[in-house]
Amino acid sequence: MRFRLVAAALITAGASVFAVATPTAAAGTAYTGILPAPVSVRVERGAFTIDRHTTISAGPGADGVAGYLAGLLRRSTGYPLPIVRGPGDIALTVTGGSSEGYQLDVSSRAVTISAERAAGLFAGVQTLRQLVPVTRPWTVPAGHVSDAPRFGHRGAMLDVARHFFTVAQVERYIDQLAQYKINVLHLHLADDQGWRIMINSWPRLATYGGSTAVGGDPGGYYTQAQYREIVAYAASRYITVVPEIDMPGHVNAALASYPELNCDGVAPPLYTGTDVGFSSLCVGKEVTYRFLDDVIRELAALTLGPYLHIGGDEAHATSQADYVAFMNRVQGIVAAHGKRVLAWHQVVSATPRPTTLAQYWDTTNDNPQVAAAAANGTGVVLSPANLAYLDMKYDPATPLGQDWAGLVEVSDAYGWDPGTYLVGAPPAAIRGVEAPLWTETIRTSADIEYMAFPRLPAIAELGWSPAATHDWPAFRRRLAAQAPRWRAQGINFYPSPQIPWPA
Ligand code: TNX
């Protein structure tokens, strides 16, 4: 254990010299259990104990994170943990700057977390949480963590179109994502089976197009007030919501809601099956672009972050010439409303704008067209379906999910390097990773959790941790160490036989 710690420090710490005191076994375990693995850790002698007198101090810009931390610690310990202005026992400091990194120091007298900005402080708080035991005594081993993310885009996608999930269910998932330093929640808001966001200028999209789900299950949609609540909740966890309206395919719910959107003026029936690639917006009709201008304007106004996702995948019912014209025109509409485009990687077959990001979902690491776009400046977010899709089955017996991209055990989800994955893509083009959860077979929060845990933490680590920390044996132990927390939180995780779960 000690040797591994020293080795990890030397590998990842560059020039700094790490002195390892004589940590207890528990201290070593706590710091090697941090997931995603930090850039560097140093275990020291001693421990800080949270008790009924412990205070939290928030420097300027740290109030929100301090309130969040106090809420968590009050809930688990039952202590008052007041937030004080002057010096406190757990001190949170924002120093100014743009890094998402943080420094965490634990001594027997104090805990300090400092970061250039609040997002980094929040990441440091997630690390501190993992150092606090699941049960009393609330003793945090002394040590130092210096950390910063490898990639800026560390995403999870939830498909609320195939099945609808309530605000409370989405917020529950947001809290689970935040623990693993995910900073983007991509919501797949519309597909053939349902339209899930009220668009005031086209209300039937939600009231009619949102009334169905796969298999005849109940539909639903978010009012704009509810959607704002999700966005604000995510923001309070330093997660940016990226809304997706998939187009020009995956649009049956919209076509069913408004006959004029169809080339023949006839609305198709609502759809509750699971086929893909059969619907298309009418690329040649001007009403299509008035419709999209309205939808994108309303969505842009609801969106705090820079990106709107316009889908663009599996447009098998749209000719390639129409697809190119359509994607180029819609990129312009998004830009006119002050946002940037995220789209599935087929967008590279049109003309991606300099600010457009392509989300790669194919199952091969060799895609010359995407690599060429990346070499030309298109940023790429990696979601290879055979590695990062959370709706793939773990093994043939998995009761939920699909297997068209293969079976994805934990070792598959963890066993690749986003930085070198896509043959021919310059490393700077890779903006990060995203773990999509499509929900054709997913109906409850317990289902979401079964598919996301433990693979989501694997993808989260690939997004956050330096390549030098990638190590399957160590990752297995880090993951196993999370199980008591998941049990305490009621997370319905898949007990993969690959992981040495504690009893
Ligand atoms: C492919 S890959 C889809 C989704 C399905 C998913 C099921 C991609 C961008 N689209 O429409 O829900 O497979 O695994």
Side-chain angles (χ1 to χ4, degrees), residues 162 250 313-314 344 361 389 391-392 402 404 438 440:
R162 272 52 177 272
H250 293 273
D313 59 317
E314 300 172 323
W344 299 104
W361 61 265
Y389 268 29
D391 67 316
M392 290 301 122
Q402 312 207 45
W404 66 263
W438 303 99
E440 286 93 337

Side-chain angles (χ1 to χ4, degrees), residues 42-349:
R42 183 179 68 226
V43 181
E44 286 162 358
R45 214 191 294 267
F48 178 86
T49 300
I50 302 170
D51 62 26
R52 78 175 73 81
H53 305 295
T54 301
T55 59
I56 297 176
S57 69
D63 297 283
V65 179
Y68 170 87
L69 174 63
L72 290 174
L73 293 179
R74 286 170 191 154
R75 193 165 3 121
S76 42
T77 65
Y79 300 141
L81 292 146
I83 298 174
V84 297
R85 262 297 159 218
D89 304 310
I90 302 176
L92 306 184
T93 310
V94 174
T95 62
S98 61
S99 163
E100 241 189 297
Y102 65 89
Q103 308 282 322
L104 169 68
D105 276 289
V106 181
S107 73
S108 50
R109 290 176 314 282
V111 175
T112 63
I113 309 177
S114 70
E116 291 188 6
R117 58 197 186 95
L121 203 57
F122 185 81
V125 160
Q126 298 307 330
T127 297
L128 174 61
R129 266 177 102 174
Q130 294 187 7
L131 295 172
V132 177
V134 181
T135 55
R136 73 185 65 222
W138 309 109
T139 299
V140 185
H144 174 82
V145 178
S146 176
D147 204 6
R150 181 180 186 191
F151 296 108
H153 186 117
R154 304 179 304 279
M157 187 211 81
L158 184 64
D159 170 9
V160 297
R162 272 52 177 272
H163 278 97
F164 179 67
F165 296 91
T166 64
V167 173
Q169 288 176 302
V170 175
E171 290 180 351
R172 179 178 168 88
Y173 197 42
I174 287 170
D175 279 327
Q176 293 166 358
L177 300 174
Q179 297 188 63
Y180 296 100
K181 302 185 173 83
I182 293 288
N183 67 348
V184 174
L185 173 64
H186 165 188
L187 287 177
H188 186 76
L189 288 169
D191 211 302
D192 292 313
Q193 299 87 348
W195 184 290
R196 307 301 181 199
I197 175 85
M198 172 52 74
I199 299 296
N200 293 326
S201 50
W202 297 73
R204 260 176 71 83
L205 293 167
T207 59
Y208 181 71
S211 65
T212 45
V214 164
D217 284 328
Y221 64 86
Y222 308 118
T223 64
Q224 292 203 352
Q226 288 173 325
Y227 187 79
R228 284 185 202 279
E229 183 187 328
I230 293 172
V231 169
Y233 192 87
S236 74
R237 272 89 179 133
Y238 297 88
I239 291 176
T240 304
V241 176
V242 175
E244 177 186 357
I245 300 295
D246 205 343
M247 59 184 95
H250 293 273
V251 291
N252 190 77
L255 298 180
S257 304
Y258 287 98
E260 62 266 43
L261 295 179
N262 296 268
C263 285
D264 61 5
V266 180
L270 293 167
Y271 181 72
T272 60
T274 59
D275 286 348
V276 297
F278 62 88
S279 59
S280 179
L281 288 169
C282 190
V283 171
K285 264 185 161 179
E286 276 310 300
V287 64
T288 297
Y289 304 96
R290 287 199 297 278
F291 161 73
L292 291 175
D293 190 67
D294 288 337
V295 169
I296 289 167
R297 174 171 32 78
E298 292 195 33
L299 264 188
L302 293 167
T303 300
L304 299 177
Y307 289 102
L308 300 184
H309 202 305
I310 60 170
D313 59 317
E314 300 172 323
H316 308 316
T318 316
S319 74
Q320 179 60 22
D322 277 358
Y323 179 84
V324 168
F326 177 89
M327 294 301 278
N328 288 345
R329 189 158 170 190
V330 175
Q331 288 185 88
I333 297 173
V334 171
H337 293 292
K339 297 296 183 184
R340 301 177 180 188
V341 168
L342 239 162
W344 299 104
H345 71 258
Q346 286 94 333
V347 71
V348 307
S349 71

Side-chain angles (χ1 to χ4, degrees), residues 348-373:
V348 307
S349 71
T351 310
R353 294 195 161 224
T355 56
T356 292
L357 295 187
Q359 183 171 6
Y360 186 72
W361 61 265
D362 213 341
T363 56
T364 163
N365 66 346
D366 190 6
N367 184 316
Q369 202 180 20
V370 174

